[in-house]
PDB file of all heavy atoms in Angstrom:
ATOM      1  N   SER A  14       0.410 -15.802  -4.816  1.00 87.00           N
ATOM      2  CA  SER A  14      -0.905 -15.356  -4.363  1.00 87.00           C
ATOM      3  C   SER A  14      -1.721 -16.473  -3.728  1.00 87.00           C
ATOM      4  O   SER A  14      -2.818 -16.249  -3.226  1.00 87.00           O
ATOM      5  CB  SER A  14      -1.685 -14.764  -5.530  1.00 87.00           C
ATOM      6  OG  SER A  14      -1.853 -15.744  -6.535  1.00 87.00           O
ATOM      7  N   SER A  15      -1.192 -17.693  -3.757  1.00 91.00           N
ATOM      8  CA  SER A  15      -1.908 -18.825  -3.164  1.00 91.00           C
ATOM      9  C   SER A  15      -0.921 -19.871  -2.663  1.00 91.00           C
ATOM     10  O   SER A  15       0.264 -19.843  -2.996  1.00 91.00           O
ATOM     11  CB  SER A  15      -2.862 -19.456  -4.179  1.00 91.00           C
ATOM     12  OG  SER A  15      -2.124 -20.012  -5.256  1.00 91.00           O
ATOM     13  N   ILE A  16      -1.434 -20.781  -1.844  1.00 93.00           N
ATOM     14  CA  ILE A  16      -0.648 -21.924  -1.368  1.00 93.00           C
ATOM     15  C   ILE A  16      -1.323 -23.186  -1.893  1.00 93.00           C
ATOM     16  O   ILE A  16      -2.543 -23.346  -1.775  1.00 93.00           O
ATOM     17  CB  ILE A  16      -0.593 -21.949   0.181  1.00 93.00           C
ATOM     18  CG1 ILE A  16       0.188 -20.737   0.703  1.00 93.00           C
ATOM     19  CG2 ILE A  16       0.054 -23.238   0.672  1.00 93.00           C
ATOM     20  CD1 ILE A  16       0.158 -20.586   2.210  1.00 93.00           C
ATOM     21  N   HIS A  17      -0.530 -24.072  -2.485  1.00 95.00           N
ATOM     22  CA  HIS A  17      -1.045 -25.364  -2.925  1.00 95.00           C
ATOM     23  C   HIS A  17      -0.737 -26.387  -1.833  1.00 95.00           C
ATOM     24  O   HIS A  17       0.435 -26.694  -1.572  1.00 95.00           O
ATOM     25  CB  HIS A  17      -0.400 -25.794  -4.243  1.00 95.00           C
ATOM     26  CG  HIS A  17      -0.865 -24.994  -5.422  1.00 95.00           C
ATOM     27  ND1 HIS A  17      -0.744 -25.439  -6.723  1.00 95.00           N
ATOM     28  CD2 HIS A  17      -1.465 -23.784  -5.509  1.00 95.00           C
ATOM     29  CE1 HIS A  17      -1.245 -24.529  -7.549  1.00 95.00           C
ATOM     30  NE2 HIS A  17      -1.679 -23.519  -6.824  1.00 95.00           N
ATOM     31  N   LEU A  18      -1.773 -26.894  -1.202  1.00 96.00           N
ATOM     32  CA  LEU A  18      -1.603 -27.901  -0.159  1.00 96.00           C
ATOM     33  C   LEU A  18      -1.822 -29.286  -0.738  1.00 96.00           C
ATOM     34  O   LEU A  18      -2.860 -29.554  -1.364  1.00 96.00           O
ATOM     35  CB  LEU A  18      -2.614 -27.667   0.968  1.00 96.00           C
ATOM     36  CG  LEU A  18      -2.500 -26.379   1.786  1.00 96.00           C
ATOM     37  CD1 LEU A  18      -3.577 -26.350   2.853  1.00 96.00           C
ATOM     38  CD2 LEU A  18      -1.122 -26.274   2.418  1.00 96.00           C
ATOM     39  N   HIS A  19      -0.828 -30.158  -0.552  1.00 97.00           N
ATOM     40  CA  HIS A  19      -0.963 -31.571  -0.927  1.00 97.00           C
ATOM     41  C   HIS A  19      -1.342 -32.316   0.347  1.00 97.00           C
ATOM     42  O   HIS A  19      -0.579 -32.340   1.310  1.00 97.00           O
ATOM     43  CB  HIS A  19       0.341 -32.099  -1.509  1.00 97.00           C
ATOM     44  CG  HIS A  19       0.722 -31.432  -2.794  1.00 97.00           C
ATOM     45  ND1 HIS A  19       0.577 -32.031  -4.021  1.00 97.00           N
ATOM     46  CD2 HIS A  19       1.225 -30.187  -3.046  1.00 97.00           C
ATOM     47  CE1 HIS A  19       0.980 -31.198  -4.976  1.00 97.00           C
ATOM     48  NE2 HIS A  19       1.373 -30.081  -4.404  1.00 97.00           N
ATOM     49  N   ILE A  20      -2.526 -32.897   0.344  1.00 97.00           N
ATOM     50  CA  ILE A  20      -3.123 -33.451   1.559  1.00 97.00           C
ATOM     51  C   ILE A  20      -3.500 -34.913   1.337  1.00 97.00           C
ATOM     52  O   ILE A  20      -3.955 -35.287   0.246  1.00 97.00           O
ATOM     53  CB  ILE A  20      -4.387 -32.635   1.932  1.00 97.00           C
ATOM     54  CG1 ILE A  20      -4.002 -31.202   2.297  1.00 97.00           C
ATOM     55  CG2 ILE A  20      -5.176 -33.280   3.061  1.00 97.00           C
ATOM     56  CD1 ILE A  20      -5.171 -30.244   2.364  1.00 97.00           C
ATOM     57  N   THR A  21      -3.321 -35.736   2.359  1.00 97.00           N
ATOM     58  CA  THR A  21      -3.859 -37.090   2.323  1.00 97.00           C
ATOM     59  C   THR A  21      -5.215 -37.059   3.011  1.00 97.00           C
ATOM     60  O   THR A  21      -5.314 -36.703   4.191  1.00 97.00           O
ATOM     61  CB  THR A  21      -2.939 -38.088   3.047  1.00 97.00           C
ATOM     62  OG1 THR A  21      -1.669 -38.110   2.383  1.00 97.00           O
ATOM     63  CG2 THR A  21      -3.523 -39.491   3.030  1.00 97.00           C
ATOM     64  N   ALA A  22      -6.265 -37.375   2.269  1.00 96.00           N
ATOM     65  CA  ALA A  22      -7.627 -37.374   2.812  1.00 96.00           C
ATOM     66  C   ALA A  22      -8.413 -38.512   2.174  1.00 96.00           C
ATOM     67  O   ALA A  22      -8.362 -38.693   0.957  1.00 96.00           O
ATOM     68  CB  ALA A  22      -8.313 -36.036   2.530  1.00 96.00           C
ATOM     69  N   GLU A  23      -9.108 -39.281   2.983  1.00 95.00           N
ATOM     70  CA  GLU A  23      -9.904 -40.408   2.494  1.00 95.00           C
ATOM     71  C   GLU A  23      -9.063 -41.377   1.664  1.00 95.00           C
ATOM     72  O   GLU A  23      -9.538 -41.942   0.663  1.00 95.00           O
ATOM     73  CB  GLU A  23     -11.099 -39.905   1.672  1.00 95.00           C
ATOM     74  CG  GLU A  23     -12.153 -39.179   2.480  1.00 95.00           C
ATOM     75  CD  GLU A  23     -12.828 -40.074   3.501  1.00 95.00           C
ATOM     76  OE1 GLU A  23     -13.515 -41.024   3.102  1.00 95.00           O
ATOM     77  OE2 GLU A  23     -12.637 -39.819   4.713  1.00 95.00           O
ATOM     78  N   GLY A  24      -7.785 -41.525   2.060  1.00 94.00           N
ATOM     79  CA  GLY A  24      -6.892 -42.441   1.356  1.00 94.00           C
ATOM     80  C   GLY A  24      -6.453 -41.964  -0.017  1.00 94.00           C
ATOM     81  O   GLY A  24      -5.906 -42.733  -0.805  1.00 94.00           O
ATOM     82  N   LYS A  25      -6.703 -40.684  -0.322  1.00 94.00           N
ATOM     83  CA  LYS A  25      -6.356 -40.126  -1.630  1.00 94.00           C
ATOM     84  C   LYS A  25      -5.363 -38.977  -1.464  1.00 94.00           C
ATOM     85  O   LYS A  25      -5.296 -38.339  -0.417  1.00 94.00           O
ATOM     86  CB  LYS A  25      -7.610 -39.576  -2.326  1.00 94.00           C
ATOM     87  CG  LYS A  25      -8.746 -40.561  -2.487  1.00 94.00           C
ATOM     88  CD  LYS A  25      -8.518 -41.489  -3.641  1.00 94.00           C
ATOM     89  CE  LYS A  25      -9.727 -42.390  -3.860  1.00 94.00           C
ATOM     90  NZ  LYS A  25      -9.528 -43.321  -4.988  1.00 94.00           N
ATOM     91  N   ASP A  26      -4.597 -38.726  -2.534  1.00 96.00           N
ATOM     92  CA  ASP A  26      -3.764 -37.520  -2.591  1.00 96.00           C
ATOM     93  C   ASP A  26      -4.634 -36.384  -3.105  1.00 96.00           C
ATOM     94  O   ASP A  26      -5.136 -36.433  -4.230  1.00 96.00           O
ATOM     95  CB  ASP A  26      -2.568 -37.730  -3.532  1.00 96.00           C
ATOM     96  CG  ASP A  26      -1.618 -38.793  -3.002  1.00 96.00           C
ATOM     97  OD1 ASP A  26      -1.420 -38.849  -1.784  1.00 96.00           O
ATOM     98  OD2 ASP A  26      -1.087 -39.581  -3.810  1.00 96.00           O
ATOM     99  N   VAL A  27      -4.819 -35.375  -2.301  1.00 97.00           N
ATOM    100  CA  VAL A  27      -5.733 -34.277  -2.617  1.00 97.00           C
ATOM    101  C   VAL A  27      -4.952 -32.968  -2.668  1.00 97.00           C
ATOM    102  O   VAL A  27      -4.062 -32.741  -1.844  1.00 97.00           O
ATOM    103  CB  VAL A  27      -6.848 -34.179  -1.543  1.00 97.00           C
ATOM    104  CG1 VAL A  27      -7.758 -32.986  -1.801  1.00 97.00           C
ATOM    105  CG2 VAL A  27      -7.652 -35.471  -1.507  1.00 97.00           C
ATOM    106  N   ILE A  28      -5.268 -32.123  -3.664  1.00 97.00           N
ATOM    107  CA  ILE A  28      -4.641 -30.795  -3.751  1.00 97.00           C
ATOM    108  C   ILE A  28      -5.702 -29.741  -3.463  1.00 97.00           C
ATOM    109  O   ILE A  28      -6.809 -29.787  -4.019  1.00 97.00           O
ATOM    110  CB  ILE A  28      -4.021 -30.550  -5.138  1.00 97.00           C
ATOM    111  CG1 ILE A  28      -2.911 -31.573  -5.421  1.00 97.00           C
ATOM    112  CG2 ILE A  28      -3.442 -29.134  -5.228  1.00 97.00           C
ATOM    113  CD1 ILE A  28      -2.293 -31.461  -6.796  1.00 97.00           C
ATOM    114  N   VAL A  29      -5.364 -28.797  -2.581  1.00 97.00           N
ATOM    115  CA  VAL A  29      -6.251 -27.694  -2.240  1.00 97.00           C
ATOM    116  C   VAL A  29      -5.511 -26.392  -2.508  1.00 97.00           C
ATOM    117  O   VAL A  29      -4.356 -26.233  -2.086  1.00 97.00           O
ATOM    118  CB  VAL A  29      -6.678 -27.741  -0.757  1.00 97.00           C
ATOM    119  CG1 VAL A  29      -7.652 -26.607  -0.445  1.00 97.00           C
ATOM    120  CG2 VAL A  29      -7.302 -29.082  -0.417  1.00 97.00           C
ATOM    121  N   ILE A  30      -6.141 -25.456  -3.205  1.00 95.00           N
ATOM    122  CA  ILE A  30      -5.542 -24.141  -3.453  1.00 95.00           C
ATOM    123  C   ILE A  30      -6.131 -23.162  -2.439  1.00 95.00           C
ATOM    124  O   ILE A  30      -7.341 -22.920  -2.424  1.00 95.00           O
ATOM    125  CB  ILE A  30      -5.805 -23.664  -4.892  1.00 95.00           C
ATOM    126  CG1 ILE A  30      -5.155 -24.619  -5.893  1.00 95.00           C
ATOM    127  CG2 ILE A  30      -5.282 -22.241  -5.096  1.00 95.00           C
ATOM    128  CD1 ILE A  30      -5.422 -24.288  -7.351  1.00 95.00           C
ATOM    129  N   VAL A  31      -5.259 -22.633  -1.585  1.00 93.00           N
ATOM    130  CA  VAL A  31      -5.693 -21.702  -0.541  1.00 93.00           C
ATOM    131  C   VAL A  31      -5.182 -20.300  -0.887  1.00 93.00           C
ATOM    132  O   VAL A  31      -3.969 -20.073  -0.899  1.00 93.00           O
ATOM    133  CB  VAL A  31      -5.134 -22.127   0.843  1.00 93.00           C
ATOM    134  CG1 VAL A  31      -5.624 -21.164   1.931  1.00 93.00           C
ATOM    135  CG2 VAL A  31      -5.520 -23.557   1.163  1.00 93.00           C
ATOM    136  N   PRO A  32      -6.076 -19.349  -1.194  1.00 90.00           N
ATOM    137  CA  PRO A  32      -5.623 -17.974  -1.477  1.00 90.00           C
ATOM    138  C   PRO A  32      -4.992 -17.360  -0.224  1.00 90.00           C
ATOM    139  O   PRO A  32      -5.496 -17.552   0.879  1.00 90.00           O
ATOM    140  CB  PRO A  32      -6.920 -17.234  -1.850  1.00 90.00           C
ATOM    141  CG  PRO A  32      -7.930 -18.294  -2.104  1.00 90.00           C
ATOM    142  CD  PRO A  32      -7.541 -19.472  -1.282  1.00 90.00           C
ATOM    143  N   THR A  33      -3.891 -16.634  -0.406  1.00 85.00           N
ATOM    144  CA  THR A  33      -3.240 -15.998   0.749  1.00 85.00           C
ATOM    145  C   THR A  33      -3.780 -14.604   1.003  1.00 85.00           C
ATOM    146  O   THR A  33      -3.719 -14.098   2.118  1.00 85.00           O
ATOM    147  CB  THR A  33      -1.716 -15.905   0.524  1.00 85.00           C
ATOM    148  OG1 THR A  33      -1.481 -15.126  -0.653  1.00 85.00           O
ATOM    149  CG2 THR A  33      -1.090 -17.276   0.377  1.00 85.00           C
ATOM    150  N   ASN A  34      -4.294 -13.960  -0.065  1.00 78.00           N
ATOM    151  CA  ASN A  34      -4.816 -12.586   0.053  1.00 78.00           C
ATOM    152  C   ASN A  34      -3.814 -11.652   0.722  1.00 78.00           C
ATOM    153  O   ASN A  34      -4.179 -10.771   1.500  1.00 78.00           O
ATOM    154  CB  ASN A  34      -6.138 -12.581   0.835  1.00 78.00           C
ATOM    155  CG  ASN A  34      -7.223 -13.355   0.112  1.00 78.00           C
ATOM    156  OD1 ASN A  34      -7.316 -13.299  -1.109  1.00 78.00           O
ATOM    157  ND2 ASN A  34      -8.025 -14.094   0.858  1.00 78.00           N
ATOM    158  N   GLY A  35      -2.538 -11.877   0.434  1.00 69.00           N
ATOM    159  CA  GLY A  35      -1.487 -11.001   0.948  1.00 69.00           C
ATOM    160  C   GLY A  35      -1.100 -11.270   2.385  1.00 69.00           C
ATOM    161  O   GLY A  35      -0.203 -10.614   2.919  1.00 69.00           O
ATOM    162  N   ALA A  36      -1.754 -12.236   3.039  1.00 69.00           N
ATOM    163  CA  ALA A  36      -1.449 -12.526   4.454  1.00 69.00           C
ATOM    164  C   ALA A  36      -0.562 -13.757   4.547  1.00 69.00           C
ATOM    165  O   ALA A  36      -0.649 -14.667   3.728  1.00 69.00           O
ATOM    166  CB  ALA A  36      -2.733 -12.750   5.223  1.00 69.00           C
ATOM    167  N   ALA A  37       0.305 -13.784   5.546  1.00 66.00           N
ATOM    168  CA  ALA A  37       1.184 -14.932   5.763  1.00 66.00           C
ATOM    169  C   ALA A  37       0.360 -16.100   6.292  1.00 66.00           C
ATOM    170  O   ALA A  37      -0.538 -15.917   7.107  1.00 66.00           O
ATOM    171  CB  ALA A  37       2.288 -14.575   6.754  1.00 66.00           C
ATOM    172  N   ALA A  38       0.626 -17.292   5.793  1.00 74.00           N
ATOM    173  CA  ALA A  38      -0.085 -18.492   6.259  1.00 74.00           C
ATOM    174  C   ALA A  38       0.906 -19.639   6.311  1.00 74.00           C
ATOM    175  O   ALA A  38       1.804 -19.736   5.481  1.00 74.00           O
ATOM    176  CB  ALA A  38      -1.235 -18.817   5.320  1.00 74.00           C
ATOM    177  N   SER A  39       0.736 -20.497   7.314  1.00 81.00           N
ATOM    178  CA  SER A  39       1.675 -21.612   7.479  1.00 81.00           C
ATOM    179  C   SER A  39       0.900 -22.901   7.693  1.00 81.00           C
ATOM    180  O   SER A  39      -0.040 -22.959   8.490  1.00 81.00           O
ATOM    181  CB  SER A  39       2.595 -21.340   8.678  1.00 81.00           C
ATOM    182  OG  SER A  39       3.442 -22.443   8.892  1.00 81.00           O
ATOM    183  N   PHE A  40       1.279 -23.931   6.924  1.00 89.00           N
ATOM    184  CA  PHE A  40       0.672 -25.254   7.067  1.00 89.00           C
ATOM    185  C   PHE A  40       1.795 -26.280   7.167  1.00 89.00           C
ATOM    186  O   PHE A  40       2.225 -26.855   6.168  1.00 89.00           O
ATOM    187  CB  PHE A  40      -0.227 -25.562   5.864  1.00 89.00           C
ATOM    188  CG  PHE A  40      -1.388 -24.623   5.713  1.00 89.00           C
ATOM    189  CD1 PHE A  40      -1.279 -23.477   4.931  1.00 89.00           C
ATOM    190  CD2 PHE A  40      -2.586 -24.876   6.362  1.00 89.00           C
ATOM    191  CE1 PHE A  40      -2.348 -22.619   4.784  1.00 89.00           C
ATOM    192  CE2 PHE A  40      -3.663 -24.013   6.228  1.00 89.00           C
ATOM    193  CZ  PHE A  40      -3.545 -22.881   5.440  1.00 89.00           C
ATOM    194  N   PRO A  41       2.321 -26.507   8.394  1.00 91.00           N
ATOM    195  CA  PRO A  41       3.442 -27.430   8.562  1.00 91.00           C
ATOM    196  C   PRO A  41       3.080 -28.849   8.138  1.00 91.00           C
ATOM    197  O   PRO A  41       1.908 -29.251   8.223  1.00 91.00           O
ATOM    198  CB  PRO A  41       3.733 -27.368  10.069  1.00 91.00           C
ATOM    199  CG  PRO A  41       3.018 -26.152  10.561  1.00 91.00           C
ATOM    200  CD  PRO A  41       1.875 -25.922   9.652  1.00 91.00           C
ATOM    201  N   MET A  42       4.083 -29.588   7.701  1.00 93.00           N
ATOM    202  CA  MET A  42       3.879 -30.981   7.329  1.00 93.00           C
ATOM    203  C   MET A  42       3.331 -31.755   8.529  1.00 93.00           C
ATOM    204  O   MET A  42       3.805 -31.597   9.650  1.00 93.00           O
ATOM    205  CB  MET A  42       5.212 -31.608   6.873  1.00 93.00           C
ATOM    206  CG  MET A  42       5.054 -33.033   6.350  1.00 93.00           C
ATOM    207  SD  MET A  42       6.632 -33.817   5.990  1.00 93.00           S
ATOM    208  CE  MET A  42       7.241 -32.786   4.695  1.00 93.00           C
ATOM    209  N   GLY A  43       2.288 -32.537   8.294  1.00 94.00           N
ATOM    210  CA  GLY A  43       1.693 -33.336   9.367  1.00 94.00           C
ATOM    211  C   GLY A  43       0.540 -32.654  10.071  1.00 94.00           C
ATOM    212  O   GLY A  43      -0.182 -33.297  10.850  1.00 94.00           O
ATOM    213  N   SER A  44       0.326 -31.358   9.789  1.00 94.00           N
ATOM    214  CA  SER A  44      -0.780 -30.666  10.459  1.00 94.00           C
ATOM    215  C   SER A  44      -2.115 -31.158   9.888  1.00 94.00           C
ATOM    216  O   SER A  44      -2.216 -31.537   8.722  1.00 94.00           O
ATOM    217  CB  SER A  44      -0.649 -29.151  10.308  1.00 94.00           C
ATOM    218  OG  SER A  44      -0.608 -28.784   8.946  1.00 94.00           O
ATOM    219  N   GLU A  45      -3.145 -31.146  10.745  1.00 95.00           N
ATOM    220  CA  GLU A  45      -4.451 -31.647  10.336  1.00 95.00           C
ATOM    221  C   GLU A  45      -5.350 -30.498   9.887  1.00 95.00           C
ATOM    222  O   GLU A  45      -5.341 -29.415  10.478  1.00 95.00           O
ATOM    223  CB  GLU A  45      -5.110 -32.435  11.475  1.00 95.00           C
ATOM    224  CG  GLU A  45      -4.354 -33.717  11.800  1.00 95.00           C
ATOM    225  CD  GLU A  45      -5.211 -34.727  12.547  1.00 95.00           C
ATOM    226  OE1 GLU A  45      -6.324 -34.358  12.972  1.00 95.00           O
ATOM    227  OE2 GLU A  45      -4.749 -35.868  12.693  1.00 95.00           O
ATOM    228  N   VAL A  46      -6.107 -30.761   8.812  1.00 95.00           N
ATOM    229  CA  VAL A  46      -7.036 -29.765   8.280  1.00 95.00           C
ATOM    230  C   VAL A  46      -8.369 -30.446   7.989  1.00 95.00           C
ATOM    231  O   VAL A  46      -8.462 -31.677   7.927  1.00 95.00           O
ATOM    232  CB  VAL A  46      -6.487 -29.118   6.979  1.00 95.00           C
ATOM    233  CG1 VAL A  46      -5.264 -28.268   7.251  1.00 95.00           C
ATOM    234  CG2 VAL A  46      -6.176 -30.180   5.927  1.00 95.00           C
TER     235      VAL A  46
END
């Protein structure tokens, strides 16, 4: 029901939980958010 994104931000390892709400979502490695 969600995607856990491991992100490098401000020199830190950051985890963001993104709800999918039943929709397909893609976050390729290296993409900027």
Side-chain angles (χ1 to χ4, degrees):
S14 60
S15 64
I16 294 173
H17 288 200
L18 295 181
H19 296 256
I20 295 167
T21 299
E23 292 296 295
K25 305 281 185 180
D26 295 322
V27 176
I28 298 177
V29 182
I30 297 177
V31 181
T33 60
N34 297 322
S39 176
F40 298 92
M42 185 186 297
S44 58
E45 294 200 350
V46 292

